[in-house]
Amino acid sequence: MKALTAQQLATIKDAAQKLTGAKRRAFEAQVALDDLSGSARRAETVFGWARTTVLLGLQELWSGITCVDHPGARGHRKTEEKLPQLAEDMQSLAEPESQVDPKFQSPFLYTRMTAKAMRQALIDQKGWTDDQWPCEHTMGHMLNRLGYRMRRVQKAKPVKRVRATEAIFDHVHQEHHASDDREDSLRISIDTKAKLNVGEFSRGGTTRGSKATQAWDHDMRPKEKLVPFGILEVLGGLLTLIFGTSRETSDLLVDGLQQWWNLRKDRYQPMRHLVIDLDNGPQHASGRTQFMNRLGEFADRKTLEIVLVYDPPYPSKYHPIARCWGILEAHWNGTLLETVDTVLHWARTMTWKAVRPIVQLLDKAYANGVRVANKAFQKIEERLERHVSLPKYGIRIQPQGG
């Protein structure tokens, strides 16, 4: 062993600390060979290096094979990786209790379930036992990683609330479970978004670049407006976006539904039961005569039993498709939607649950105020099977003439 001065020892230690991985092992091994007769134990005593690290470095020098570091394999795996079924069960419980940001400014879901409540629900409803659990703190982190975050209480609760709100939610859940248990049933969620002005308008978005995107300095009257209409296949997760070039009317909604069915009929040909989740928008309200008339015609042509499931008034943020609008806004945020083709292109490049949506244009003119006369609507009303206690929020339309 060569005698090393205190300065030399300090210099070698400092050099080793500035290296990482295979380079550090090679350096420590070479020092052990040059100054310590190749002894890893002496290297540990003199320099304070880990004996196993020096031994590995010596083996790499002798064999000429360098070991590859894999930091990702260190430590404990996440609980959802060790227990994938647990993550699936948590998602199935949290999804019905989730709501979207009311302003559609975030794609994150927010759960009303605490980690403690989630733990108890998994025991009561999914059959997990108490000894299988991570701690409550870990459960909270799992919910966050799965996208269900706690949110700050906001002064956003609507003042108006119907007395039957809880009963309506119970009815919604019952219809959902009944549909999901049937092999010949399909559940979709439909909704429209505010009209989109086509042009070089600034919509408050941001982009990263050396120069800011230039938009018109005044929000002039647009030459074209589009009505975004969305149809979400709830269990399958496929999103269809249809952009109407005219007004938002009952006819546009049913024509959009017809266009979607024509695109997907080969996939859902065996289906005989269609559950449609809706909010309380004026164009598809349960008292809208033209909407009911057109849906009856649609049910007859397609030999479909249609069940309309309405959310309670005002809490439309629980509507499944409402979450998609937040994703779309975040996706084309900061873009100049100056032409219809640009709008369609950007809509096609968004993703919902890692899948790109089907995007279509519905170029047809519609008139406002189309309705069915009271006398003529009486016959249509007779075929509507309304819920006994919630006639405005649950409607069943059976196909006729086929």
Side-chain angles (χ1 to χ4, degrees):
M1 171 180 174
K2 298 179 181 178
L4 298 175
T5 64
Q7 182 60 45
Q8 289 174 326
L9 290 173
T11 300
I12 293 173
K13 288 181 181 180
D14 181 65
Q17 289 178 351
K18 293 178 179 179
L19 299 173
T20 58
K23 293 181 178 179
R24 179 166 181 167
R25 294 194 299 271
F27 176 77
E28 292 179 357
Q30 193 61 54
V31 171
L33 287 173
D34 293 343
D35 300 323
L36 304 174
S37 302
S39 174
R41 185 181 296 276
R42 290 181 182 178
E44 184 178 47
T45 302
V46 175
F47 297 105
W49 297 334
R51 188 189 318 170
T52 55
T53 302
V54 179
L55 281 173
L56 179 58
L58 290 169
Q59 291 173 359
E60 289 175 334
L61 287 178
W62 293 330
S63 65
I65 300 173
T66 301
C67 296
V68 178
D69 293 326
H70 185 21
R74 302 172 186 168
H76 295 290
R77 291 184 298 157
K78 292 183 174 62
T79 307
E80 55 266 36
E81 295 177 4
K82 293 186 288 186
L83 299 172
Q85 186 59 47
L86 174 61
E88 292 181 13
D89 289 344
M90 289 176 67
Q91 286 178 313
S92 68
L93 289 171
E95 188 72 16
E97 304 297 327
S98 305
Q99 68 182 61
V100 73
D101 183 346
K103 295 183 179 180
F104 305 130
Q105 292 179 343
S106 170
F108 289 113
L109 303 181
Y110 298 87
T111 183
R112 294 181 292 172
M113 272 192 171
T114 62
K116 182 177 181 180
M118 172 61 74
R119 190 176 189 275
Q120 190 61 44
L122 286 164
I123 294 174
D124 296 341
Q125 300 182 36
K126 297 297 182 179
W128 290 82
T129 58
D130 195 64
D131 59 349
Q132 295 176 299
W133 290 111
C135 67
E136 188 174 315
H137 184 72
T138 301
M139 183 72 66
H141 282 301
M142 284 185 66
L143 283 169
N144 289 342
R145 288 195 295 267
L146 291 172
Y148 300 93
R149 299 176 179 272
M150 299 299 292
R151 70 176 296 172
R152 189 176 299 172
V153 176
Q154 298 179 353
K155 295 176 66 176
K157 185 177 179 180
V159 177
K160 296 182 181 180
R161 177 183 172 92
V162 297
R163 293 182 179 179
T165 293
E166 295 304 325
I168 296 170
F169 273 129
D170 290 340
H171 171 254
V172 169
H173 293 321
Q174 289 173 7
E175 291 292 352
H176 287 177
H177 290 311
S179 173
D180 296 346
D181 290 341
R182 290 181 55 166
E183 293 184 357
D184 64 343
S185 181
L186 173 66
R187 179 157 60 95
I188 63 174
S189 173
I190 69 173
D191 193 17
T192 57
K193 193 177 180 294
K195 284 186 177 181
L196 179 68
N197 292 334
V198 178
E200 298 181 38
F201 296 100
S202 171
R203 296 177 296 111
T206 59
T207 55
R208 188 180 300 279
S210 58
K211 294 183 179 180
T213 302
Q214 300 294 310
W216 288 329
D217 59 355
H218 287 77
D219 289 341
M220 299 178 292
R221 185 175 181 177
K223 295 182 179 179
E224 293 182 274
K225 290 187 177 184
L226 295 178
V227 179
F229 173 48
I231 302 172
L232 175 64
E233 298 166 28
V234 179
L235 295 184
L238 182 66
L239 174 65
T240 300
L241 297 175
I242 297 174
F243 291 86
T245 58
S246 182
R247 301 174 176 86
E248 179 186 350
T249 66
S250 300
D251 291 307
L252 179 142
L253 300 182
V254 180
D255 284 349
L257 197 63
Q258 173 72 61
Q259 191 165 327
W260 162 79
W261 183 261
N262 291 340
L263 293 169
R264 301 289 288 161
K265 62 183 178 182
D266 292 338
R267 171 68 176 83
Y268 294 119
Q269 194 63 41
M271 295 299 171
R272 292 293 177 264
H273 186 258
L274 180 65
V275 176
I276 305 178
D277 289 339
L278 312 98
D279 60 16
N280 286 269
Q283 305 304 334
H284 52 257
S286 60
R288 194 78 178 189
T289 59
Q290 179 65 357
F291 185 63
M292 294 298 149
N293 176 44
R294 291 293 309 278
L295 275 184
E297 295 172 352
F298 179 76
D300 296 341
R301 285 196 304 271
K302 307 305 177 185
T303 320
L304 278 173
E305 177 187 355
I306 297 178
V307 179
L308 303 180
V309 181
Y310 287 89
D311 287 333
Y314 304 104
S316 59
K317 53 184 174 289
Y318 293 103
H319 204 38
I321 196 171
R323 302 165 190 165
C324 302
W325 299 132
I327 298 288
L328 181 60
E329 281 296 332
H331 175 67
W332 65 20
N333 182 31
T335 304
L336 295 183
L337 303 177
E338 68 270 21
T339 65
V340 172
D341 287 340
T342 303
V343 173
L344 299 180
H345 169 76
W346 277 94
R348 290 188 181 104
T349 55
M350 72 165 280
T351 56
W352 168 255
K353 294 188 175 180
V355 178
R356 298 198 186 280
I358 298 172
V359 178
Q360 294 280 307
L361 186 68
L362 182 52
D363 191 6
K364 186 176 179 180
Y366 295 98
N368 275 333
V370 177
R371 62 186 299 271
V372 180
N374 292 337
K375 187 174 182 180
F377 186 68
Q378 288 179 0
K379 187 175 181 179
I380 300 172
E381 181 64 36
E382 289 173 0
R383 69 176 295 190
L384 303 180
E385 301 174 17
R386 294 184 179 270
H387 192 279
V388 176
S389 58
L390 301 169
K392 293 173 57 178
Y393 304 100
I395 300 173
R396 192 177 301 271
I397 306 175
Q398 299 286 356
Q400 295 179 349

